[in-house]
Amino acid sequence: MSPRDTALAWIAAHEKRFSDFCGRIWEHAEPAWREYKSAADYVELLRAEGFAVEAGSGGMPTAFVATWGQGAPVLAGFSEYDAVPGNSQQVVPYPAPRAGLHPYAAGHTDPHSMLGTASLVAMLGAKAAMEAHGIAGQLKLFGEPAEKVCGSKPIHAAKGYYDGLDAAVVWHPWPSNTVTSDTQFGAYWSCVISFEADQPEHWIDPTLVPIEGAHAGARSPGALDAMCLMYTTTKYTKEAMFPHAGSWTLNEFVLGDGGATSDNLPPRFSQIQYSWRSSSLGIQEQIWRVLANNARHAAGSTGCRAYVRWVTKTRVGVPNQVMTDLTWKNLQAVGAPAYGEAAKEFGREIQRHLGLEAMEDPFIESVSRLTPPEANEARLRAGLPAWQKHLSADDYVEFCWHAPTVRLLAGRPRLRPPSHGFAYPNWAYTALSGLPEAIDPGMFVAAKTMALTYIDLATQPEMLAAAQAEFVSRTGGVGGPGWVGPLLPADFDPPVDLRWPEYVTTPRGEEWCIPTPHQGTGAGEPL
């Protein structure tokens, strides 16, 4: 039996075990920076499989680095396992948030439960083959929390965890089965801007007030007004951040301040998070200049001070055609996922619930066939200007500047629309993402493809050398003249202490960060 056959046989023999593991991560549904149970499950399993595991790597409690083997090459991959607030859903073909929690608790959407498990299985399959056939090399699986805010990978990179890697094989669930080629993902930056009214008594001269008493005077506008002014000013200036060319986005979220008890006092503290993505670091810098200017003016107008806490700064992706070709060859050897009757009937039940006519095959065609990388590239570039080389954002790009990296895409079912432009509700995709019959086919296609790529890189030194030569030609090599280093400093303090949503235990039981209401969302009477 060849090393490739050994890896595939190991994966086939353990499919039920890792289908159950994926389901467990899906049930945890822990959001960014708060994946305590999920990370613990990975660490326990990897240690039992013979990996040396550093838990809490990079100062991040829910990150880890698992290493097996000795010598070269050093081959890397990563698991993600964070869920998304506002997407709580049971595995049923109708909208049903998980019982006992606020309806807007977290749920897996992409799903990262599937992403992380496939990467884990690929590593373990490659390890089994390397052990059985005496193949030299090291395997490193990075546990990467907070992907939804692109959080951990820039931190791991800045702190040197990606130094010395020879190649990285990564993937993402996708509505097609292909490999990313020339057009890679762009940059994602995020920061939390805070306003603090630390000296509101200085807003006016108290001697001007004829009536004594703090409540009689004009109060400082305070932090709430600063945040509102920041929000509205940025809405106005968003049009002037960058020309309407290519694609870039800016999103904002307000973090709760814990100041629910009202009084005739100025709000002392507020925070708003901005996240933006674009195709170049220059555009990212331009957007930040506008945001920083807005924050200074909002603070000055409201009697506050403004502060910034960076959450993340990613670079842009770097293609590697040698790695793309190798992984595509292995994807072809594995074949496209096939979905059985149980998965299809679940999809039909969703359609029936929505009042649609159930389809014989409720899933789009691309999830059950292979799409050549050049065809995927042509589809991506169809709507892009020639100058734009990157699209959207994802933090896998951090690996691209430290070693030749390939990004596999493999099928997770998407429902076939009954007409052009029809959009299924989010709960439908979240429900599908927890159904083993719908998730397992693409998950194990990804795991097998990545495992074969690891084996090829470990047993074909000429292939790895070609990929590394291309890496040097595109980047200048690590530390070279064209290399872009990590954008965060090496002493960066991971933002795990910020008010990210999470599950909490109170005398009332386990709750989401929004207390569990007696009925519905707890929003009250309609206006």
Side-chain angles (χ1 to χ4, degrees):
M1 182 179 289
S2 71
R4 290 167 60 91
D5 291 337
T6 299
L8 295 178
W10 191 94
I11 293 173
H14 290 81
E15 286 191 359
K16 177 61 169 64
R17 173 190 175 196
F18 288 102
S19 175
D20 292 345
F21 181 87
C22 178
R24 189 158 70 250
I25 302 300
W26 192 90
E27 288 289 345
H28 290 332
E30 297 172 299
W33 298 121
R34 302 295 185 250
E35 312 94 333
Y36 302 110
K37 295 178 183 178
S38 302
D41 282 350
Y42 273 94
V43 169
E44 179 183 15
L45 189 150
L46 284 159
R47 284 175 173 162
E49 291 289 339
F51 280 73
V53 183
E54 178 190 351
S57 54
M60 298 174 283
T62 55
F64 66 82
V65 182
T67 306
W68 175 87
Q70 293 182 336
V74 182
L75 307 175
F78 62 74
S79 288
E80 297 168 0
Y81 30 82
D82 60 323
V84 186
N87 287 273
S88 178
Q89 173 65 32
Q90 300 177 45
V91 188
V92 293
Y94 50 85
R98 287 178 293 147
L101 292 170
H102 193 277
Y104 291 153
H108 281 282
T109 54
D110 278 337
H112 287 172
S113 49
M114 173 191 186
L115 188 159
T117 303
S119 297
L120 170 68
V121 173
M123 277 282 169
L124 295 177
K127 170 183 174 286
M130 293 171 72
E131 277 187 317
H133 297 271
I135 299 170
Q138 295 182 60
L139 298 172
K140 281 184 176 287
L141 182 67
F142 290 87
E144 302 285 10
E147 190 280 334
K148 285 301 180 184
V149 290
C150 291
S152 66
K153 299 184 189 73
I155 296 173
H156 272 147
K159 295 182 181 296
Y161 282 89
Y162 300 161
D163 296 349
L165 299 181
D166 289 306
V169 181
V170 307
W171 89 290
H172 201 284
W174 212 253
S176 59
N177 305 279
T178 187
V179 185
T180 303
S181 186
D182 284 343
T183 303
Q184 298 281 321
F185 273 47
Y188 180 102
W189 292 10
S190 180
C191 68
V192 173
I193 294 174
S194 301
F195 297 99
E196 185 175 2
D198 57 346
Q199 296 179 320
E201 64 277 6
H202 293 176
W203 181 250
I204 64 168
D205 180 356
T207 64
L208 300 176
V209 182
I211 304 175
E212 293 186 3
H215 294 318
R219 74 173 193 178
S220 166
L224 179 59
D225 288 60
M227 188 197 68
C228 291
L229 187 58
M230 176 70 188
Y231 178 83
T232 54
T233 302
T234 299
K235 287 295 184 183
Y236 283 117
T237 58
K238 187 174 180 179
E239 294 294 311
M241 284 182 171
F242 192 73
H244 294 283
S247 58
W248 59 275
T249 63
L250 174 72
N251 298 293
E252 65 282 308
F253 283 93
V254 173
L255 283 67
D257 70 345
T261 302
S262 178
D263 198 356
N264 188 27
L265 297 171
R268 300 294 295 271
F269 188 72
S270 65
Q271 291 184 314
I272 184 168
Q273 179 188 5
Y274 283 96
S275 302
W276 60 105
R277 59 184 71 192
S278 75
S279 60
S280 77
L281 299 186
I283 298 174
Q284 296 294 92
E285 289 281 5
Q286 165 63 19
I287 292 171
W288 167 238
R289 283 194 290 270
V290 176
L291 288 173
N293 191 55
N294 290 350
R296 287 189 289 266
H297 283 284
S301 300
T302 56
C304 294
R305 299 178 190 268
Y307 303 87
V308 63
R309 180 82 179 272
W310 284 98
V311 175
T312 191
K313 283 186 178 183
T314 77
R315 292 164 280 187
V316 300
V318 180
N320 192 290
Q321 194 61 43
V322 172
M323 296 283 284
T324 293
D325 293 343
L326 176 62
T327 306
W328 170 241
K329 179 181 177 181
N330 287 325
L331 179 58
Q332 289 176 293
V334 172
Y339 299 93
E341 182 59 23
K344 292 179 180 178
E345 181 55 26
F346 192 90
R348 296 185 197 112
E349 284 296 319
I350 292 175
Q351 292 175 329
R352 294 186 187 105
H353 175 81
L354 295 172
L356 305 174
E357 183 177 349
M359 303 175 185
E360 181 178 353
D361 184 353
F363 303 136
I364 59 176
E365 293 181 5
S366 61
V367 300
S368 300
R369 58 177 171 81
L370 302 183
T371 300
E374 57 270 21
N376 182 64
E377 178 72 13
R379 182 187 64 80
L380 288 177
R381 295 225 56 87
L384 299 181
W387 60 265
Q388 185 176 342
K389 305 302 182 184
H390 300 87
L391 177 66
S392 188
D394 189 297
D395 57 358
Y396 80 90
V397 300
E398 290 299 293
F399 282 85
C400 297
W401 292 93
H402 297 267
T405 301
V406 66
R407 189 173 193 247
L408 168 71
L409 305 173
R412 55 79 54 97
R414 292 190 70 84
L415 293 165
R416 191 189 303 264
S419 59
H420 181 69
F422 180 88
Y424 284 94
N426 286 341
W427 65 258
Y429 294 114
T430 305
L432 273 170
S433 75
L435 182 73
E437 292 85 353
I439 290 303
D440 289 359
M443 182 170 73
F444 289 114
V445 163
K448 292 173 182 177
T449 302
M450 290 189 291
L452 292 180
T453 303
Y454 287 131
I455 295 301
D456 288 348
L457 292 169
T459 59
Q460 300 177 33
E462 70 284 356
M463 185 69 69
L464 180 57
Q468 291 176 333
E470 182 179 349
F471 169 76
V472 172
S473 72
R474 290 182 181 273
T475 65
V478 175
W483 189 63
V484 177
L487 302 180
L488 298 177
D491 62 351
F492 183 77
D493 187 18
V496 297
D497 56 308
L498 291 174
R499 291 189 301 274
W500 307 111
E502 62 184 318
Y503 300 102
V504 296
T505 300
T506 75
R508 299 181 300 277
E510 184 182 45
E511 296 190 341
W512 184 235
C513 59
I514 307 172
T516 305
H518 295 297
Q519 183 178 6
T521 63
E525 296 294 326
L527 296 174

